[in-house]
Amino acid sequence: MGAHVKEFLFFWRILIFLSSKTSGLTCSSKCGSALEECSCQATCLSLTNCCSDYNQTCFQVSPYSSSMLGGRALRILGLTLPSDGSLLCRFKGETEQQGIVDEEGHPYCISPLLYETGWISFDVSTDGANFDRSGEYLSVHPNKADPSYQVTLVNSTLWQNYGTPNMAGQLSMTWNSSLVESGNINVELWGYREVSRNTAGSSPLQAEIRYLYSLGRNIPNTGDFSFIPEPREEFSVWELGNIRITASSKSEGERYVQALWSEGHVLAWHLEPSFREDSSGWAEKKCRQWDDLEKKLPNFLDELIHCPCTLTQARADTGRFHTDYSCNIETGSVCTNHPGSVHCVRTIQASSSHGSGQQCCYDHTGALVLNGDSVGGSTPDRAHNWGSSPYREPPRVPGYSHWLYDVMSFCYCCLWSDLCHIYLNHRPSSGCRRYQPPRAGVVFGDLHFVTFDGLSYTFSGRGEYYLVFSADRELRVQARTEQLKLKNGTLVQATQLSSLAMKENSSDVIEVRTADDHLQVLRNKKIMPFTEQRWMDLQGVFVFAPCPQKVTVIFSSGAAVELRLHEGSMVATVLLPVEFSNHTLGLLGRMNSDPTDDLMTQSGKVISSANATLGEIFTFGARWNISKMSSLFTYDSQYLLDSYFFPSSHDSAFVPAYSLHAKPDDPLVADMLSMCLGEGAQFCIHDTLISRSLAVGNATLRAHQHYQALMEALQPVVSCGWLPTPRNGRKNGTHYLQGKTLGFTCNEGYILYKSKERTCLEEGMWTGEQPYCISDDKVGFILGAFGSLSALVAMGLTLKLHNRKQARERKVESLEMVTQAQT
């Protein structure tokens, strides 16, 4: 069957569906489906073709998110039951629990304790047998849950280090007492561990969060509680856990009940008596046991990507790195675990084989901080803090696996004992010599493109087009454009972006579109709210919406699409890792560092950008229109159906104003020329003249300036790699990028041998040779025996002037310096 015939049949079936009646069929057990006579899809609400029971059957919940630890009451909207009615809740087809119906008939399901994040589907039954109503809620990392629903551990440092020197006394906690509808409450301790699995699974371990014991029962719900902890040797194997608060009417450790949770933390305060008697000795033993275990585990460092060389690179590479919330320059966090650093980032994606994560920290100069120089240096993680799919299996459990593998060991070796060099030996900072910044292409204004290879052109087509198409990488980014409409309602003969839809491999389909003064995000044709969460873990994709005017969509490959709203105009920036080189087509061109082939059509024909006319460029752009079969867009209004779904995906009747010339007597020109200055001035002038609006031109100029700043931030940087400080000596800096010179000196009683200075060259190599500090007595011995140091070298003796023990010490000299700095 030909492609045109298939597309016609597809179009005809949709037409029949949209013109059908909206009564007769039910959405029971059919949510998300389009039926013959009505719809059970989210789009039916705006298209007014829902089945009669859609709102009651395909329900929404409020709140829409909960910590993965559970315990939050999710109200089912649009459904009312008798106060004595039956309600059963079943999550992911597995966990079944009794729901709650309040006096007003509002039904609630209590979010369960899970080991994963993301949208969790669940069904409910009102007759005790048929689970024919369905909805979903967002399970989030405990650290990203609503803080007002959290039990706050007062003085978290005391909690974490209780029992070590000078760490004693009462432990206190607070909570919002109004969130527990009971006059009295229970305070419980729950522990986390990973144990050998008894059943088959891809991981030999399984995660376990379990009730341990109560700290207080039936105590007044005043919003605060204090206690003096006692060692609990029988529970000492549980070294990580959380505090949970429930109503006093609930049984000890009862699951599926409303509850407030604390953050996960190290349970130093209940460890065995030997810990309090000699915390350093206890921790040293644990650190050495961990050292032995690490040596047996697979090497995870080789599959981690290298850190960006500078803070500006790290903050610009939004497809692969995201702010580490514990060390964030934007919020002024103090970077407690990384003294000397002002900002850290983590890789967004966990490594494929081991679920590990990279961390990169930077000082106030923007330089990468390495733990070979400072205890505040960045450290990679065997288990990514945010977890990774399939989540539920260690070491991929969000938060907890990371705390178990990477935080507890830090406490053993660095906080509670003087063996930090052992920890850093297994968690060395990444350098940046192999870091390659992503490439960026941008679409802005009315309607201007800068390709991944830097070619600029204007294409003001009206319709739906491929912005990026990568068959090999299975990435599709589609753009919808609409005719520019000014605030006074005037239509202009130019177009601007109105929506982007995208998908990679088997990921969710994400669409971001303009909606008045903000950006609206859709997941699989359903509008997503960002009122409770700014970050969402989805199927094969992450979405970050820090404010209503900015959204970043991040795929598993590291590809990212940034959407911004400037004065009502959408700007789209696509960032692609170098792995996409020679694997892209579309309006943003072929990414191969050669701008001459960027104007390549779907058939493979290249239009020369050097002498292409505006009409030829317009024809090129028009040929990148999408087919109805391949469209990722949502058509959930009559306007979208009439304007984009039923017509051709490229409006051949729309002819843009290709170019306009400023007239000397035009009153707009003077202000325009004083505003449109510098790089991007031609785009600013073009859009100002076409729109007759300085605001439109200024938005275009600002968008181009933002792109320029991004390109400057992503410039490749040459690093020559870390240089150690000579043992018994000093170096005068910790910057290892091109053009930097490091000087070396020795302590009193030692003489410098080899290079006093080393400079990082453009080739990524250091000048000179690694210096060593030799004691006066050894120099005297050498001179007496051989006459000179040069004679020593001539005789073929090596630089091993110390014994083997000293040679081994030299290998870890940077780690020793870290330990000295800490003490």
Side-chain angles (χ1 to χ4, degrees):
M1 185 182 294
H4 293 295
V5 176
K6 288 182 178 178
E7 187 164 324
F8 174 78
L9 291 176
F10 171 77
F11 170 85
W12 186 250
R13 285 195 296 269
I14 294 295
L15 182 62
I16 293 174
F17 163 68
L18 292 174
S19 61
S20 64
K21 297 180 180 180
T22 61
S23 62
L25 295 181
T26 176
C27 288
S28 178
S29 303
K30 297 174 184 176
C31 291
S33 301
L35 310 181
E36 292 182 4
E37 297 180 3
C38 56
S39 174
C40 298
Q41 295 179 330
T43 55
C44 78
L45 293 171
S46 53
L47 292 174
T48 65
N49 62 343
C50 298
C51 296
S52 58
D53 63 350
Y54 173 77
N55 284 329
Q56 293 77 36
T57 305
C58 306
F59 57 78
Q60 307 294 314
V61 297
S62 178
Y64 70 79
S65 67
S66 167
S67 164
M68 72 178 200
L69 295 172
R72 196 166 187 186
L74 309 174
R75 179 182 169 184
I76 300 173
L77 303 179
L79 179 63
T80 302
L81 299 174
S83 58
D84 60 349
S86 171
L87 181 68
L88 284 177
C89 311
R90 186 167 64 191
F91 293 85
K92 298 193 70 174
E94 303 169 358
T95 305
E96 190 171 315
Q97 59 176 268
Q98 194 73 39
I100 300 172
V101 182
D102 66 16
E103 295 179 353
E104 298 177 349
H106 300 143
Y108 295 84
C109 290
I110 306 301
S111 59
L113 191 158
L114 299 173
Y115 299 90
E116 61 184 302
T117 58
W119 285 95
I120 305 298
S121 62
F122 69 102
D123 309 306
V124 301
S125 170
T126 56
D127 61 8
N130 299 306
F131 287 85
D132 51 4
R133 304 170 190 262
S134 60
E136 59 181 1
Y137 80 99
L138 185 66
S139 174
V140 301
H141 190 293
N143 287 357
K144 296 179 182 178
D146 186 344
S148 65
Y149 278 77
Q150 192 175 73
V151 178
T152 301
L153 305 181
V154 180
N155 190 351
S156 58
T157 301
L158 178 61
W159 281 81
Q160 178 173 271
N161 298 291
Y162 198 96
T164 61
N166 303 316
M167 291 290 176
Q170 281 194 336
L171 292 178
S172 300
M173 66 188 80
T174 61
W175 66 93
N176 185 342
S177 59
S178 66
L179 298 178
V180 183
E181 297 179 356
S182 174
N184 293 304
I185 52 98
N186 301 326
V187 181
E188 303 172 341
L189 175 64
W190 288 62
Y192 175 85
R193 65 179 179 179
E194 294 177 0
V195 295
S196 297
R197 113 178 7 256
N198 296 322
T199 58
S202 58
S203 170
L205 299 173
Q206 64 182 13
E208 180 183 8
I209 298 178
R210 199 179 81 183
Y211 166 76
L212 301 183
Y213 56 88
S214 291
L215 298 171
R217 297 199 60 78
N218 201 31
I219 64 176
N221 182 18
T222 59
D224 62 85
F225 176 70
S226 299
F227 69 105
I228 295 179
E230 295 294 334
R232 297 294 294 264
E233 189 161 2
E234 68 274 31
F235 294 105
S236 193
V237 294
W238 300 84
E239 298 178 352
L240 292 169
N242 304 71
I243 300 295
R244 189 182 82 156
I245 290 178
T246 64
S248 60
S249 59
K250 305 303 178 184
S251 303
E252 288 186 309
E254 184 177 351
R255 292 177 180 259
Y256 315 130
V257 298
Q258 284 184 262
L260 303 180
W261 292 85
S262 76
E263 63 183 359
H265 63 284
V266 176
L267 304 181
W269 50 272
H270 89 157
L271 295 178
E272 56 200 337
S274 59
F275 174 72
R276 296 193 185 184
E277 295 166 2
D278 180 11
S279 59
S280 178
W282 184 94
E284 283 187 14
K285 181 179 179 181
K286 286 283 189 176
C287 179
R288 297 192 186 281
Q289 290 174 349
W290 174 78
D291 180 32
D292 292 337
L293 174 62
E294 276 288 313
K295 292 174 181 177
K296 299 173 184 176
L297 294 176
N299 175 28
F300 71 93
L301 298 173
D302 292 342
E303 66 174 1
L304 297 178
I305 64 174
H306 271 214
C307 287
C309 290
T310 66
L311 178 57
T312 53
Q313 282 183 331
R315 299 181 71 184
D317 192 349
T318 54
R320 294 180 292 180
F321 295 91
H322 189 71
T323 299
D324 183 341
Y325 298 110
S326 66
C327 185
N328 184 357
I329 194 173
E330 296 176 3
T331 60
S333 59
V334 295
C335 307
T336 303
N337 294 328
H338 298 279
S341 296
V342 298
H343 192 78
C344 294
V345 296
R346 293 185 183 273
T347 48
I348 295 170
Q349 305 289 341
S351 63
S352 56
S353 298
H354 304 297
S356 304
Q358 182 65 276
Q359 183 193 51
C360 313
C361 295
Y362 302 86
D363 64 19
H364 69 282
T365 68
L368 182 64
V369 182
L370 306 178
N371 56 30
D373 297 317
S374 167
V375 70
S378 46
T379 51
D381 302 316
R382 178 171 289 280
H384 197 298
N385 186 26
W386 302 334
S388 59
S389 181
Y391 289 112
R392 293 191 282 182
E393 294 191 345
R396 300 177 182 271
V397 178
Y400 289 96
S401 289
H402 166 66
W403 297 332
L404 190 65
Y405 285 95
D406 303 296
V407 177
M408 277 305 310
S409 48
F410 182 79
C411 292
Y412 295 153
C413 303
C414 296
L415 294 184
W416 300 342
S417 74
D418 295 327
L419 299 179
C420 203
H421 62 280
I422 293 179
Y423 179 83
L424 296 178
N425 188 45
H426 292 293
R427 301 289 187 270
S429 294
S430 161
C432 67
R433 298 189 69 182
R434 295 201 302 271
Y435 171 74
Q436 293 180 292
R439 305 287 290 275
V442 66
V443 189
F444 62 100
D446 308 319
L447 186 66
H448 312 294
F449 296 77
V450 182
T451 68
F452 296 114
D453 296 335
L455 174 68
S456 299
Y457 69 93
T458 297
F459 165 65
S460 286
R462 182 184 183 278
E464 296 171 340
Y465 310 91
Y466 272 112
L467 198 57
V468 179
F469 177 76
S470 179
D472 295 339
R473 305 293 174 178
E474 297 187 58
L475 173 67
R476 288 181 287 163
V477 182
Q478 299 174 352
R480 175 187 289 159
T481 67
E482 65 180 5
Q483 191 170 359
L484 175 61
K485 187 176 184 179
L486 301 181
K487 291 182 178 180
N488 62 9
T490 303
L491 288 173
V492 178
Q493 288 304 105
T495 58
Q496 62 182 6
L497 284 178
S498 61
S499 183
L500 254 70
M502 58 210 89
K503 175 182 173 67
E504 182 181 77
N505 296 318
S506 59
S507 76
D508 288 333
V509 176
I510 303 299
E511 182 176 353
V512 183
R513 61 192 185 187
T514 56
D516 296 325
D517 61 346
H518 68 280
L519 295 174
Q520 187 179 74
V521 182
L522 293 87
R523 163 182 163 259
N524 299 333
K525 305 186 184 303
K526 183 177 181 180
I527 296 173
M528 289 198 301
F530 280 89
T531 53
E532 297 174 20
Q533 296 294 323
R534 298 300 180 203
W535 179 280
M536 292 191 185
D537 300 356
L538 307 175
Q539 176 64 42
V541 61
F542 301 95
V543 179
F544 177 51
C547 67
Q549 291 76 37
K550 181 181 178 182
V551 173
T552 303
V553 182
I554 305 149
F555 292 100
S556 298
S557 64
V561 182
E562 288 186 354
L563 291 308
R564 294 172 180 263
L565 207 56
H566 285 283
E567 295 290 334
S569 177
M570 178 188 281
V571 180
T573 305
V574 182
L575 296 107
L576 297 181
V578 293
E579 289 78 12
F580 278 84
S581 296
N582 293 306
H583 293 289
T584 68
L585 293 171
L587 294 177
L588 285 181
R590 185 176 179 84
M591 192 176 90
N592 60 358
S593 301
D594 180 9
T596 63
D597 65 357
D598 279 352
L599 301 183
M600 181 182 289
T601 66
Q602 293 196 50
S603 62
K605 179 183 177 181
V606 175
I607 299 172
S608 172
S609 58
N611 51 18
T613 66
L614 294 175
E616 288 174 330
I617 292 176
F618 186 81
T619 301
F620 153 77
R623 290 177 178 171
W624 274 110
N625 65 317
I626 65 175
S627 69
K628 302 303 180 188
M629 291 286 288
S630 64
S631 175
L632 300 175
F633 288 103
T634 301
Y635 306 92
D636 56 355
S637 71
Q638 197 62 46
Y639 166 76
L640 292 175
L641 290 170
D642 294 340
S643 302
Y644 295 99
F645 183 78
F646 294 129
S648 168
S649 57
H650 169 71
D651 185 357
S652 58
F654 177 78
V655 180
Y658 286 119
S659 62
L660 294 175
H661 299 286
K663 298 179 181 179
D665 59 346
D666 188 338
L668 189 67
V669 169
D671 290 337
M672 177 187 72
L673 294 179
S674 65
M675 177 183 71
C676 300
L677 300 173
E679 291 288 336
Q682 72 274 28
F683 304 119
C684 175
I685 292 171
H686 176 278
D687 291 1
T688 301
L689 291 175
I690 283 183
S691 66
R692 306 296 301 168
S693 169
L694 291 171
V696 170
N698 185 52
T700 297
L701 183 64
R702 287 176 55 203
H704 189 266
Q705 290 171 342
H706 180 270
Y707 165 74
Q708 281 186 296
L710 175 67
M711 295 306 295
E712 184 176 347
L714 292 175
Q715 284 297 309
V717 176
V718 175
S719 170
C720 293
W722 177 73
L723 288 180
T725 301
R727 184 168 177 80
N728 300 310
R730 299 175 298 278
K731 68 179 176 186
N732 68 349
T734 57
H735 292 188
Y736 308 110
L737 303 183
Q738 178 185 347
K740 298 296 182 180
T741 297
L742 296 182
F744 303 89
T745 57
C746 292
N747 299 337
E748 185 177 353
Y750 292 85
I751 297 176
L752 187 75
Y753 181 60
K754 294 292 186 181
S755 302
K756 292 183 178 180
E757 288 187 342
R758 303 189 71 183
T759 300
C760 181
L761 302 178
E762 183 180 0
E763 299 79 17
M765 303 293 291
W766 288 103
T767 59
E769 298 178 86
Q770 176 62 35
Y772 297 91
C773 293
I774 306 172
S775 62
D776 289 342
D777 58 338
K778 286 187 170 57
V779 172
F781 170 76
I782 292 171
L783 292 177
F786 302 103
S788 69
L789 289 175
S790 59
L792 172 65
V793 175
M795 291 182 65
L797 296 179
T798 69
L799 292 174
K800 294 181 180 178
L801 301 177
H802 302 285
N803 58 31
R804 291 186 177 181
K805 176 181 177 182
Q806 291 170 316
R808 286 195 300 270
E809 291 174 344
R810 189 182 302 127
K811 292 180 182 179
V812 295
E813 59 187 326
S814 62
L815 303 179
E816 291 180 339
M817 191 180 75
V818 170
T819 304
Q820 293 168 4
Q822 184 185 29
T823 55

